[in-house]
Amino acid sequence: MLYTNATIITLNPNRDIITNGALLTRNQKITAIGKTPDLLALYPNEPATDLTDRIIIPGLINTHMHTAQTLIRGAADDLELVSWLCERIWPLQGNFTVEDGYCAARLSIAEMLKSGTTCFLESMFADRYGFEGLCRAVEESGIRGCLGKIVMDRGRYAGDDERWAMHEGLVEDREMSLGGALRMHEEWDGKAEGRIRVWFGARTPGGVSEALYKEMTSLSQTRKIPITMHCAEAPADLTFFASQSHTPMSYCDSVDLLGPNTVLVHMVHLSPADIARLAETGTHVVHCPSSNTKLASGVCKLPDLLAAGVNTALGTDGAPCNNTCDMLQEMRLAGILHKVSTMDPTAVPAETVLELATINGAKALGLEAEIGSLEVGKKADFAVVDMRRCHLQPWHSPVSALVYSATGRDVEMVVVDGREVVRGGELVTLDEEAVWKEAAWRSKEVVARAGLTGEVGARWPVV
């Protein structure tokens, strides 16, 4: 298929933006890219799709996502992190069934695809949600997924305080978590025409013993299984590290977590020495500005990380702390938050933000040779943004328009592996109405099973 007459933001090494551009896809890959008249002359018999007044971008890469949590969107608003987690999120998730997990995965994927995300990193899918259902949802939908299976052996958050105890329905031991991850890797890694990759999804320090961390990191190195983990998200995490006579990164170093095979998420509370160690080891970082601001966790030192040469990507986190899976909205906040936190409007320009959401994400996932930019030979993963709308006009810089004006609702088409999975703003691979209707009733059932119906809902009188 030949896609013509668009503005193409390539994210290639030269960062070329092609006006009146065209892109040819064949056999899941980009086989030509250039000016529309040139490609029409070279491929006169190729079926063509006219994308006049649209912008084509590499598919967005959401490098931190909890697919199960989309089913409990809005069920834990306006709470600080530990209350949010221990009193709401864990009790709700601890009452999930396998069917709920599959429904939540489909809901998350539908939202991500419709808003331009073509690849995501699931942070830590629990055994009780049914990891195979998550894999099936990826396979059926056409999205690309790096899927972290939870690794844990302690049912606490950042210490031994009973108030921070995990819901019993979520507690896993070594065999269920690490053993389950290994089994899922053997069964699913590379499936769905290579779109599924299985990762270790380690729990935050305090939720994993040092012995299990070291076993996991050893397996990661020998079997080439990447690791993702929350780290240094909230002040409680710093308290835990201090109790172990460590900083965040010295602790991670001590259990062999640092390196190019690891993606650490949030990373709000870091010292200059921590940042330097990240850069030295080639460890990747994911910035989640919406989650960090909504939960009042703090502001990630993104400008310092970038200045130090740390590859940093972007993630939405879960729906209960965002409350959307829309990467375009996440990009906007990433672009404006650090201007005020540093009192420097040039701190994180729009171009840097788009890199976080595309090529930097691909690097974090070890997939930069395949996705993250629009270049000949790479996978045909891209999104098309329809600029024929009042709130997007006029525009002068296409990157600025995307980062500061567009949202996921402006995405018209999404292509993964050369296959159109969203067309005319509608899902092609999933029945959207069936997905959201099932999610609506399943969410209420989960809340009822958790005994939280009275706590979840409107604070004002509902008549």
Side-chain angles (χ1 to χ4, degrees):
M1 176 64 72
L2 188 60
Y3 299 90
T4 63
N5 300 310
T7 297
I8 303 176
I9 304 175
T10 66
L11 270 293
N12 67 12
N14 199 46
R15 300 300 189 260
D16 291 321
I17 297 172
I18 305 171
T19 58
N20 192 24
L23 184 152
L24 178 67
T25 66
R26 284 180 179 168
N27 300 322
Q28 303 178 329
K29 293 188 176 182
I30 299 169
T31 53
I33 187 167
K35 291 286 191 178
T36 293
D38 296 338
L39 266 64
L40 284 173
L42 287 170
Y43 305 100
N45 299 319
E46 189 73 28
T49 297
D50 182 12
L51 295 178
T52 299
D53 294 323
R54 280 80 148 190
I55 296 175
I56 301 177
I57 59 173
L60 300 174
I61 300 172
N62 187 347
T63 45
H64 186 62
M65 174 63 185
H66 295 265
T67 50
Q69 289 184 359
T70 309
L71 196 64
I72 50 175
R73 190 197 320 265
D77 290 334
D78 306 323
L79 298 170
E80 58 83 31
L81 176 62
V82 176
S83 298
W84 175 89
L85 190 60
C86 299
E87 297 172 13
R88 291 287 179 86
I89 299 304
W90 281 345
L92 289 166
Q93 292 180 165
N95 280 278
F96 266 48
T97 64
V98 168
E99 292 78 16
D100 295 330
Y102 176 60
C103 173
R106 281 161 49 88
L107 180 66
S108 299
I109 290 168
E111 183 180 356
M112 286 191 285
L113 283 176
K114 288 197 67 177
S115 53
T117 291
T118 57
C119 181
F120 71 99
L121 174 55
E122 159 62 45
S123 179
M124 46 182 186
F125 208 76
D127 187 79
R128 74 169 301 119
Y129 313 150
F131 192 86
E132 291 182 322
L134 171 61
C135 294
R136 290 201 318 274
V138 170
E139 189 171 40
E140 294 160 359
S141 68
I143 201 168
R144 197 178 302 280
C146 297
L147 311 179
K149 166 68 180 71
I150 196 167
V151 176
M152 64 168 292
D153 58 354
R154 289 181 175 172
R156 294 285 189 276
Y157 176 80
D160 295 324
D161 192 323
E162 284 295 329
R163 295 171 301 169
W164 297 354
M166 209 172 190
H167 187 277
E168 61 183 9
L170 290 175
V171 176
E172 300 185 25
D173 59 15
R174 175 199 172 280
E175 176 56 29
M176 182 182 289
S177 64
L178 181 64
L182 292 172
R183 289 190 294 274
M184 290 301 98
H185 186 270
E186 290 174 4
E187 183 176 346
W188 284 99
D189 191 66
K191 294 293 178 65
E193 298 179 297
R195 287 184 287 105
I196 293 176
R197 305 289 177 94
V198 177
W199 286 43
F200 290 134
R203 275 203 63 219
T204 310
V208 184
S209 66
E210 290 188 11
L212 186 56
Y213 270 137
K214 289 179 178 179
E215 184 179 5
M216 178 189 67
T217 54
S218 176
L219 287 166
S220 171
Q221 293 163 13
T222 58
R223 301 197 187 190
K224 308 302 181 186
I225 303 175
I227 299 167
T228 185
M229 185 185 79
H230 297 68
C231 191
E233 179 179 3
D237 296 307
L238 280 186
T239 301
F240 170 78
F241 290 124
S243 75
Q244 306 299 306
S245 301
H246 277 294
T247 71
M249 292 307 95
S250 71
Y251 180 88
C252 290
D253 228 349
S254 73
V255 292
D256 302 322
L257 271 165
L258 300 184
N261 221 28
T262 296
V263 174
L264 298 178
V265 184
H266 296 301
M267 303 293 275
V268 173
H269 301 281
L270 300 177
S271 68
D274 285 329
I275 293 173
R277 188 61 183 145
L278 287 165
E280 290 167 5
T281 57
T283 308
H284 309 279
V285 168
V286 181
H287 178 35
C288 303
S290 292
S291 173
N292 296 158
T293 52
K294 188 168 185 247
L295 292 172
S297 298
V299 179
C300 173
K301 298 178 177 66
L302 178 63
D304 294 342
L305 288 163
L306 295 173
V310 177
N311 180 57
T312 307
L314 195 66
T316 60
D317 209 341
C321 59
N322 189 310
N323 294 32
T324 174
C325 307
D326 182 347
M327 280 286 285
L328 281 161
Q329 292 192 53
E330 200 70 24
M331 286 163 58
R332 184 176 192 274
L333 183 57
I336 62 177
L337 174 63
H338 301 283
K339 299 181 188 329
V340 69
S341 68
T342 61
M343 295 303 291
D344 178 4
T346 70
V348 182
E351 290 77 9
T352 298
V353 173
L354 187 56
E355 289 172 337
L356 297 182
T358 54
I359 192 63
N360 288 17
K363 290 175 183 175
L365 302 182
L367 297 175
E368 68 270 28
E370 299 182 34
I371 61 174
S373 62
L374 302 177
E375 302 177 67
V376 171
K378 281 197 170 186
K379 296 284 190 181
D381 287 16
F382 59 88
V384 177
V385 180
D386 188 351
M387 305 300 288
R388 300 173 299 173
R389 304 182 180 190
C390 289
H391 68 278
L392 297 177
Q393 292 290 342
W395 58 270
H396 303 280
S397 161
V399 177
S400 176
L402 285 172
V403 172
Y404 296 127
S405 300
T407 74
R409 293 178 179 85
D410 301 314
V411 172
E412 178 185 17
M413 178 185 293
V414 177
V415 175
V416 183
D417 259 356
R419 176 191 182 192
E420 292 180 11
V421 292
V422 174
R423 185 185 304 120
E426 301 296 327
L427 285 167
V428 175
T429 55
L430 297 173
D431 182 338
E432 182 177 359
E433 183 176 9
V435 168
W436 73 256
K437 282 187 173 180
E438 181 183 0
W441 67 259
R442 281 196 179 278
S443 179
K444 291 180 174 61
E445 284 198 351
V446 169
V447 171
R449 285 198 298 272
L452 290 172
T453 302
E455 285 76 17
V456 173
R459 292 190 173 95
W460 291 349
V462 177
V463 297

